Amino acid sequence: MLCEKCGKYAATTHIKTVIDGVVYEKNLCSDCAKSEGMGDFTSGSLSDILASVFGESAPNLKTSSLKKCECCGSTFSDISKSGKVGCPNCYKVFKNELLPYLKRVHGSIEHVGKIPDKHIENVSENSENAEDLKKQLKELIKQENYEQAAIVRDKIKSLQDGETK
């Protein structure tokens, strides 16, 4: 694929921009990319790029570096240097520090995807356990009781849908 700007060299930089839900793509050679203000991204590792997102200019970094996660011992300074969160508990401990960056990187701070089946447990106090329903569904299929199996399948689906809302 040739550069869209000069048409001479192979496109090595591919830029996608989303504006009002419309995706725009640009394919540029390295020279044209530099002239458009796109620097050389190959010099840094992924952890360097992620660390730059959490950079030293982070608000609350001074006070957060004193705070440690009681599970893994990570500080916010450790997270900003590595670009990786130490454990799930770090999200609770460093919630105030992480939220602005998660929003900037992901565009949202709310999970909108599906929840894996293995994590569906005790969806509500009055509902049946999803794992029990899945076992019941398999048994009904073995017995070729498809009408009852469809009812159980629908219960499982409603539990999953209710959990993702």
Side-chain angles (χ1 to χ4, degrees), residues 36-53:
E36 295 257 331
M38 301 296 148
D40 181 18
F41 296 111
T42 58
S43 62
S45 68
L46 178 60
S47 64
D48 292 338
I49 294 167
L50 291 174
S52 72
V53 170

Side-chain angles (χ1 to χ4, degrees), residues 77-92:
S77 179
D78 296 335
I79 294 169
S80 68
K81 286 176 187 169
S82 69
K84 298 177 184 175
V85 178
C87 71
N89 191 59
C90 287
Y91 287 99
K92 293 176 188 167

